[in-house]
């Protein structure tokens, strides 16, 4: 208690001291606040005092400078007035001097004086309303009109022969050009146009006459203007280079020439002679090129030629370095042309914008070139007929691409025709020629199509069952391969041809250049050729298929090696496939194999039904033969030395031949379970097919009817089968010699009481059957969607 009392007293003492200290602090804070307030008020007073003094100082400065500003403005106005009066004096003097020079035709001095007066007049733009300035401007305008009339009058004597009599006339006219430059640009334009019109007056008179107004005299027109330019070259040097007088003269000449040629062509009563027309066009194009090189620069046609040369070359035999060198060469040529063009533009006498001389005259020939296109088409068609007639349908020794010579020769002829036409025009006529190329190539595709071996036709063929069958010899097979390769070459080269034409033709036609129809024609030839090849092999198989039906399957006593008809099939394929594999490309060889497998598999399946009766031993032998045929088909890619698509082909063959295997397993099944086995292995089967199977098994009509009634009652397929996962283990491929050991014994027949046993036993009958059956059952189950957790799903779900 004593300790607590002491603690209480100590705390009270501290509290008392704190209260006292706080009381003292509050008093001091109030004193500090009062002091700060006084200081702020004193500061505000001083600021107001400074501001007042500043306003007084500003007023004092303005009073001092008021007179100085007045004097400054007065000085500025006096200076402007003196300058204006001085310039006015100069302008009056210059106009008077210019009037004297104009009256005396002192062109050189007048040109300089004109420049000076123009500059002085620009200073008086703001004083237009002042009478004196208006008077001077009107006087100056009249003087310029006088100078213009004098210059035009003097230039009218140019070309009349006076320049040879008066030695100073050319110098006088050269000085007059300086005056024209000092006048408005419209004066120069008018003078040049008058001069060009006067120069071409004699041209119009000469070539509008009946004698020279003919198409075959076109070359003389260009000779006339070239001679005129060459003769007057020295005289025309009086014109300044920026006036481009020869350039302007050539433009007017071309326009007049085009007009006259159009009249000549339109007034012709008959179609023009092709030779005369093309010669006139050729000379016109040459003249346009000369003008373009002289005034516009640039070389046209090099890249066009290169594009055409690339047609049909192909790059299949080129390596990477060859391709790189080709494109490096193209790039270098493009850069060289660009540098030459830039260099040439600096030295051109034509305006920077340039005038495109190409086509200015030659375009008038365009509507009349149909006769040329008709001639080209006639020539191309004759060459095509000749090439097809001379075609040997064979390939020379050492040839790498296995393409018929007529294909390559045809495109060489087309390239030459394209070169001829592109040198003449790149407009509608070239597009019309492109249409001709389409017709020629379609005609060639028809020729290739017609060369394919045909099946038997007529009453005899229909009566003997040979209608549509195609017999092919070894040479026929090689020819078909050559046709496939040639059609592929034409398909590719036709695309390159269209691409080259679209590059060189005018842009408004480029989008319509399309070879897809022609390429479709050659694609159809390729497809028909490969189908013909398959049909030819099918025809070779006829004898072996017939031999298969003649085998006494019902009386075979034991299972031996593969039958003779299998050896025959093997011999046919062994003799044909290596040749076809060596001639066809991998893509088309794969297509051929797929067609062959899709044809031979169903045919083998259907051929089983053509047999009379098949015993159990016969079915075992036939199953062995089926495995042998399947093995032969699977070895075809290796035989043809093309294994790129072997994996997909193997699956295809296995799928097609598995149907025949499944059919034989149904025939092998016991009588009491044959319906269930058929529905399990061939769920898409029909009652008629099932009845034929019963006939193959040797059942009598009465026995067949009972089984058929039961089969029809349950439907053609199994809807909800139930199998055990252990069946997968039985589905491993079995060797052919083990087929007999896998066949059920007579004791096991009675144990087959359920569909699960049927499927298990069927799966053990041969290679791949169980897997095929599983997939079919799974497809049925997924389609039905009746049981989501059925036994089929347990087989495939983890």
């Amino acid at each position: 208690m004593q300790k607590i009392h002491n603690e209480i007293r100590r705390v009270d003492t501290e509290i008392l001291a704190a209260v006292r200290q706080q009381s003292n602090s509050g008093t001091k804070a109030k004193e500090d606040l009062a002091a700060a307030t006084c200081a702020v008020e004193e500061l505000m007073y001083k600021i107001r005092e400074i501001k007042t003094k500043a306003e007084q100082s500003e007023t004092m400065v303005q009073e001092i400078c008021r007179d100085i500003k007045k004097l400054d403005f007065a000085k500025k106005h006096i200076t402007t007035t003196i300058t204006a009066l001085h310039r006015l004096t100069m302008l009056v003097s210059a106009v008077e001097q210019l009037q004297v020079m104009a009256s005396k035709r002192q062109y050189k001095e007048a040109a300089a004086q004109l420049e000076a007066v123009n500059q002085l007049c620009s200073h008086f733009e703001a004083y237009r309303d002042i009478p004196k300035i208006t008077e001077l401007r009107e006087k100056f305008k009249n003087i310029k009109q006088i100078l213009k009339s004098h210059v035009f009058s003097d230039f009218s004597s140019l070309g009349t022969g006076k320049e040879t009599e008066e030695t100073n006339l050319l110098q006088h006219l050269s000085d007059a050009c300086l005056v024209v430059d000092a006048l408005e640009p419209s004066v120069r334009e008018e003078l040049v146009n008058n001069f060009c019109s006067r120069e071409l007056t004699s041209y119009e008179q000469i070539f509008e006459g009946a004698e020279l107004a003919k198409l075959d005299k076109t070359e003389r027109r260009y000779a006339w203007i070239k001679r005129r330019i060459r003769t007057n070259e020295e005289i025309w040097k009086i014109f300044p280079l920026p006036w481009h007088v020869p350039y302007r003269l050539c433009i007017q000449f071309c326009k007049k020439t085009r007009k006259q040629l159009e009249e000549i062509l339109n007034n012709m009563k008959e179609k023009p002679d092709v030779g005369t027309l093309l010669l006139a066009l050729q000379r016109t194009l040459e003249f346009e090129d000369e003008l373009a090189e002289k005034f516009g620069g640039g070389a046209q046609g090099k890249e066009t030629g290169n594009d055409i040369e690339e047609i049909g070359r192909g790059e299949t035999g080129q390596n990477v370095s060859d391709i790189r060198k080709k494109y490096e060469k193209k790039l270098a040529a493009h850069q060289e042309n660009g540098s030459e063009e830039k260099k040439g533009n600096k030295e051109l006498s034509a305006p920077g914008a340039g005038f495109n001389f190409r086509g200015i005259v030659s375009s008038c020939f365009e509507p009349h070139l149909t006769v040329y296109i008709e001639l080209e088409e006639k020539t191309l068609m004759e060459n095509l007929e000749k090439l097809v007639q001379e075609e040997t349908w064979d390939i020379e020794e050492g040839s790498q691409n296995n393409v018929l010579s007529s294909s390559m020769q045809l495109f060489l002829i087309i390239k030459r025709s394209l070169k001829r036409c592109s040198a003449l025009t790149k407009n509608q006529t070239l597009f019309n020629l492109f249409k001709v190329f389409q017709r020629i190539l379609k005609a060639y595709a028809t020729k290739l199509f017609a060369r394919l071996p045909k099946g038997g036709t007529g009453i005899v063929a229909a009566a003997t069952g040979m209608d549509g069958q195609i017999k092919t010899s070894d040479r026929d097979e090689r020819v078909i391969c050559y046709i496939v390769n040639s059609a592929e070459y034409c398909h590719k080269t036709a695309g390159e041809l269209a691409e080259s034409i679209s590059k060189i033709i005018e842009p408004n036609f480029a989008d319509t250049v399309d070879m897809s129809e022609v390429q479709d024609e050659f694609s159809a030839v390729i497809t028909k050729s490969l189908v013909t090849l398959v049909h030819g092999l099918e025809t070779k198989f006829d004898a072996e298929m017939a031999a298969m039906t003649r085998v006494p399957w019902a009386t075979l006593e034991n299972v031996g090696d593969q039958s003779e008809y299998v050896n025959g099939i093997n011999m046919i394929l062994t003799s044909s496939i290596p040749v076809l594999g060596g001639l066809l490309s991998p893509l088309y060889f794969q297509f051929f194999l797929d067609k062959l497998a899709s044809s031979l598999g169903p045919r083998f399946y259907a051929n089983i039904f053509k047999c009379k009766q098949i015993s159990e031993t016969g079915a075992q032998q036939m199953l062995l033969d089926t495995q042998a045929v399947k093995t032969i088909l699977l070895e075809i890619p290796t035989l043809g030395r093309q294994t790129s698509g072997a994996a997909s082909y193997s699956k295809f063959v296995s799928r097609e031949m598995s149907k025949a295997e499944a059919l034989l397993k149904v025939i092998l099944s016991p009588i009491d379970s044959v319906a269930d086995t058929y529905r399990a292995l061939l769920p898409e089967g029909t009652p008629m097919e099932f009845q034929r199977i019963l006939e193959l098994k040797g059942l009598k009509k009465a026995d067949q009817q009972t089984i058929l009634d039961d089969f029809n009652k349950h439907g053609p397929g199994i809807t909800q089968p139930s199998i055990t996962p252990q069946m997968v283990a039985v589905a491993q491929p079995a060797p052919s010699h083990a087929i007999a050991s896998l066949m059920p014994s007579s004791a096991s027949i009675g144990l087959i009481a359920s569909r699960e046993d049927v499927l298990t036993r069927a799966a053990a009958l041969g290679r791949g059957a169980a897997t095929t059956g599983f997939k079919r059952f799974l497809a049925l189950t997924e389609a039905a969607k009746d049981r989501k957790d059925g036994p089929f799903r347990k087989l495939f779900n983890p």
Side-chain angles (χ1 to χ4, degrees), residues 762-786:
L765 291 178
R767 269 188 278 179
T771 306
T772 307
F774 290 157
K775 291 180 180 178
R776 286 175 178 168
F777 291 141
L778 180 62
L780 289 171
T781 307
E782 289 179 345
K785 300 293 183 184
D786 291 334

Side-chain angles (χ1 to χ4, degrees), residues 203-217:
Y203 167 74
E204 291 178 331
Q205 294 172 351
I206 293 171
F207 288 94
E208 280 183 353
E211 183 180 351
L212 295 178
K214 296 179 182 179
L215 197 61
D216 55 356
K217 307 296 183 183

Side-chain angles (χ1 to χ4, degrees), residues 656-667:
E656 293 296 328
M657 295 303 294
S658 64
K659 297 177 183 178
E661 294 173 349
L663 175 61
L664 292 171
K665 290 165 190 173
V666 173
I667 296 173

Side-chain angles (χ1 to χ4, degrees), residues 48-88:
R48 285 193 294 270
E49 188 179 6
I50 292 171
K51 187 177 180 182
T52 303
K53 290 181 178 180
E55 291 174 352
Q56 293 173 357
S57 298
E58 185 180 359
T59 305
M60 188 182 300
V61 170
Q62 287 179 352
E63 289 291 335
I64 294 171
C65 295
R66 184 180 300 160
D67 295 335
I68 297 175
K69 287 181 71 174
K70 289 181 180 179
L71 292 174
D72 187 49
F73 280 123
K75 178 184 177 183
K76 183 177 179 182
H77 292 157
I78 290 173
T79 304
T80 305
T81 304
I82 293 172
T83 304
L85 290 173
H86 181 62
R87 286 174 177 169
L88 180 60

Side-chain angles (χ1 to χ4, degrees), residues 448-655:
L448 293 180
F449 195 89
R451 181 59 180 82
L452 294 173
K454 301 292 188 297
T457 56
I459 300 175
V460 177
T464 56
M466 298 295 288
D467 188 17
Q469 288 188 337
I470 300 175
K471 292 185 178 181
T472 55
S473 62
D474 292 343
R475 185 178 186 278
D476 288 336
E477 290 177 353
R478 288 198 304 273
V479 170
I480 293 173
C481 292
Y482 296 149
I483 291 175
V484 170
N485 295 334
S486 300
E488 182 184 10
Y489 169 81
C490 293
H491 183 283
K492 177 185 175 184
T493 312
E496 294 174 356
L497 175 65
E499 184 179 352
S500 297
I501 292 176
S502 64
K503 287 180 180 177
I504 63 179
I505 203 169
E506 290 298 321
N508 55 321
F509 292 102
D511 293 337
T512 55
V513 176
D514 183 21
M515 276 285 187
S516 56
E517 291 184 8
V518 174
Q519 290 177 315
D520 290 344
E521 293 279 342
F522 285 111
S523 297
V525 171
I526 294 171
T527 305
K528 178 62 178 176
S529 301
L530 294 173
V531 171
T532 303
L533 207 55
V534 173
H535 287 171
L537 276 178
E538 282 183 346
T539 305
K540 289 184 178 181
F541 292 145
D542 285 347
E544 311 308 327
M545 291 298 172
M548 175 182 172
T549 59
R550 289 195 297 268
V551 174
W553 300 107
T555 58
L556 282 181
E557 297 180 355
N558 52 33
V559 179
D561 293 333
Q562 60 190 34
S563 303
E564 283 300 319
Y565 73 89
V566 177
N567 294 331
I569 292 174
N570 189 28
M571 287 181 61
I572 293 171
L573 293 175
T574 305
S575 62
S576 296
I577 295 301
V579 177
L580 302 181
L583 294 177
L584 293 176
S585 65
L587 175 65
Y588 296 121
F589 186 70
Q590 181 65 35
F591 178 82
F592 162 74
L593 292 184
D594 292 344
K595 286 287 183 184
L596 181 62
S598 62
S599 168
L600 190 56
R603 186 178 184 188
F604 191 86
Y605 177 85
N607 210 57
I608 295 175
F609 288 102
K610 294 181 181 179
C611 298
K612 294 181 180 179
Q613 185 178 341
I614 304 175
S615 64
E616 186 174 345
T617 304
Q620 293 178 30
Q621 179 65 47
M622 193 176 291
L623 189 59
L624 179 68
D625 293 343
T626 303
Q627 293 289 342
V629 172
K630 179 179 177 182
T631 303
I632 292 169
L633 291 177
L634 291 174
E635 290 176 352
I636 286 181
T638 306
L639 198 61
R641 297 185 295 278
Q642 293 194 20
T643 57
S644 57
S648 60
Y649 169 74
S650 299
K651 292 180 182 178
F652 192 65
V653 169
S654 299
R655 186 177 74 245

